[in-house]
Amino acid sequence: MKKTIIILILILTNFAFGQNNLSEKVSESFNTDNRDRLDSIAKQLNYKGGDQIKVLTMFTINEQGNVVDIKARSVHPLFEKEAIRILNQLPKMTPAEYNGKQISRKYSLPIVFEIETESAKKKRLKKEERERQKELKKEKN
């Protein structure tokens, strides 16, 4: 009984850490162009700043580390398409291993799109401009 509980805890811990790493990769791939695209979708569908749209995604990372068989479910097909497009942009991942062999593994990952408020958008744009100016100064030196 104790062995079963320990094995179950190890499996769940491995899954949780793998899922967390995956969430970070998805967040990293969400850039300014994606925010602008999301804003235009939100305006088209009459969403306002601060609204959150949840998209449930399921996909497989195959033996080669590619993200395949992506499916999404949300309140509107445009948000589903956006989530699928973002997941398709993910770099090659490290595939799961079992008994020393790389295997395909299915994942489910909820993605929450939050529509930026105007004040948050202004702050983000100012911060991006400051970072751009710092980069230009570094390049000059």
Side-chain angles (χ1 to χ4, degrees):
M1 181 68 169
K2 286 183 181 181
K3 275 187 175 180
T4 307
I5 293 173
I6 291 172
I7 291 172
L8 184 60
I9 290 172
L10 287 173
I11 290 171
L12 291 175
T13 305
N14 184 28
F15 180 73
F17 284 119
Q19 193 86 349
N20 191 23
N21 187 26
L22 192 56
S23 298
E24 290 173 11
K25 296 239 185 209
V26 172
S27 295
E28 289 169 7
S29 72
F30 195 78
N31 58 26
T32 303
D33 294 335
N34 292 332
R35 286 181 204 267
D36 294 339
R37 184 183 306 250
L38 182 62
D39 283 346
S40 71
I41 292 171
K43 285 179 186 174
Q44 182 181 357
L45 299 174
N46 295 322
Y47 283 92
K48 58 185 184 294
D51 287 347
Q52 292 184 342
I53 297 91
K54 190 173 193 174
V55 182
L56 301 174
T57 63
M58 294 185 301
F59 54 92
T60 301
I61 297 178
N62 66 14
E63 296 89 355
Q64 292 79 35
N66 298 318
V67 178
V68 296
D69 299 329
I70 303 171
K71 295 179 179 92
R73 198 71 145 155
S74 187
V75 295
H76 196 278
L78 289 175
F79 291 114
E80 293 171 8
K81 285 182 183 178
E82 185 64 11
I84 290 169
R85 190 184 70 73
I86 290 169
L87 290 174
N88 275 322
Q89 291 180 344
L90 287 174
K92 243 184 186 182
M93 308 294 266
T94 304
E97 285 189 27
Y98 181 73
N99 287 337
K101 294 182 181 178
Q102 295 178 335
I103 59 168
S104 292
R105 183 167 179 191
K106 292 184 180 190
Y107 292 89
S108 64
L109 181 71
I111 297 175
V112 178
F113 293 124
E114 185 169 346
I115 310 305
E116 278 186 312
T117 61
E118 286 301 316
S119 61
K121 187 173 186 174
K122 287 178 185 176
K123 285 180 186 178
R124 178 180 55 85
L125 292 173
K126 283 181 184 179
K127 182 179 177 183
E128 288 174 359
E129 183 60 31
R130 283 193 304 265
E131 289 173 3
R132 221 175 289 128
Q133 294 299 327
K134 286 180 184 177
E135 288 298 318
L136 288 173
K137 286 180 182 178
K138 286 181 182 179
E139 288 176 6
K140 287 181 181 179
N141 292 334

